[in-house]
Amino acid sequence: KEFNAAPISHATMKEQTFHSSVLLGRVASWAMFYKISGDEDYAKRIWEEMENLCDYPDWISHHYLTTSEICVSAAMVYDWLYDYLTEEQRQKLANAIIEKCLKIGLDHYEGRRIIWPPTNWNGICNAGTCIGAIALLDVCPELSTKILGYGILNVEESLDSFAPDASHLESVMYWEFHVKYYHMYLAALDSACGTQYGLYNAPGFADSAYFA
């Protein structure tokens, strides 16, 4: 059903921002199927979604949590489908990530926009922005490195929500939302940098699954 659906429109995303999670569900599933099977129908369908996404006037920057979720999908496609994409497609996707997420994320980090509160917003916004930066380390090393430095420090604020007893200050639902993106962030750091910079060892975090 999702495979045959139209790409998610900007208007739909703007009005119902949960569609950023729908987008990730589509992209992650189809990319996995493509990597396993080699069936290019999955890759073609993913690019339809990404080309549509690149043509958005913005990635819902007034609700940056959505921006960061969108960036995870785009970064995953850039990385997992790198060999499938043409140079022109890679460039289009990289430019969209830079202009519609990374530069805006940098504005948040450097005080030109408000920084995210130490809630699930902090964990998810840092995760999405930094995953985008990791994907484009070879494309824009200065910008990506700067963002990763800010993100590793800033995300520590949201980790307090797991301490000291592994509970979560925003309930099980937001625990799931927070941890889903945070784990993808840690996995990306581990894969690209060979370390999680101690972030997995934050007090209470590893035991929070027992709370849930």
Side-chain angles (χ1 to χ4, degrees):
K1 183 179 176 181
E2 288 290 332
F3 193 81
N4 294 318
I8 300 169
S9 71
H10 182 260
T12 298
M13 188 81 77
K14 191 173 182 180
E15 291 171 8
Q16 299 175 307
T17 55
F18 73 85
H19 274 95
S20 51
S21 294
V22 175
L23 175 68
L24 180 61
R26 291 181 176 187
V27 165
S29 298
W30 300 337
M32 180 183 68
F33 296 151
Y34 168 66
K35 297 291 280 186
I36 291 171
S37 71
D39 186 342
E40 291 194 354
D41 284 346
Y42 291 112
K44 290 175 184 175
R45 178 63 184 85
I46 290 169
W47 180 248
E48 284 181 28
E49 206 75 53
M50 288 297 107
E51 188 169 38
N52 174 65
L53 192 69
C54 289
D55 291 336
Y56 281 10
D58 64 66
W59 283 357
I60 326 299
S61 59
H62 70 278
H63 191 265
Y64 192 81
L65 186 141
T66 299
T67 308
S68 60
E69 287 189 275
I70 291 172
C71 189
V72 172
S73 297
M76 182 180 290
V77 173
Y78 187 87
D79 184 46
W80 288 18
L81 269 68
Y82 187 88
D83 292 333
Y84 169 82
L85 299 174
T86 67
E87 182 59 37
E88 183 180 0
Q89 289 170 332
R90 286 183 208 139
Q91 192 62 55
K92 184 170 186 175
L93 188 53
N95 287 344
I97 293 171
I98 291 168
E99 296 298 327
K100 296 170 184 178
C101 181
L102 299 190
K103 287 185 177 180
I104 297 169
L106 188 65
D107 284 344
H108 282 281
Y109 286 129
E110 295 188 338
R112 291 180 290 277
R113 293 174 180 241
I114 59 171
I115 199 63
W116 317 293
T119 61
N120 71 91
W121 269 71
N122 180 281
I124 295 166
C125 292
N126 276 297
T129 309
C130 289
I131 287 170
I134 289 169
L136 299 187
L137 271 168
D138 292 338
V139 177
C140 50
E142 185 175 347
L143 175 61
S144 290
T145 302
K146 189 179 289 189
I147 284 172
L148 285 174
Y150 283 133
I152 289 166
L153 292 174
N154 187 259
V155 78
E156 292 180 0
E157 294 190 21
S158 68
L159 295 179
D160 288 342
S161 64
F162 298 99
D165 57 0
S167 63
H168 192 273
L169 60 84
E170 295 179 286
S171 80
V172 174
M173 183 185 76
Y174 280 110
W175 171 87
E176 187 275 337
F177 192 31
H178 189 165
V179 167
K180 176 174 72 173
Y181 284 95
Y182 189 67
H183 264 297
M184 285 190 278
Y185 177 31
L186 295 182
L189 283 174
D190 201 37
S191 175
C193 305
T195 178
Q196 298 166 353
Y197 297 97
L199 294 176
Y200 184 80
N201 298 319
F205 176 70
D207 292 330
S208 70
Y210 295 106
F211 159 74

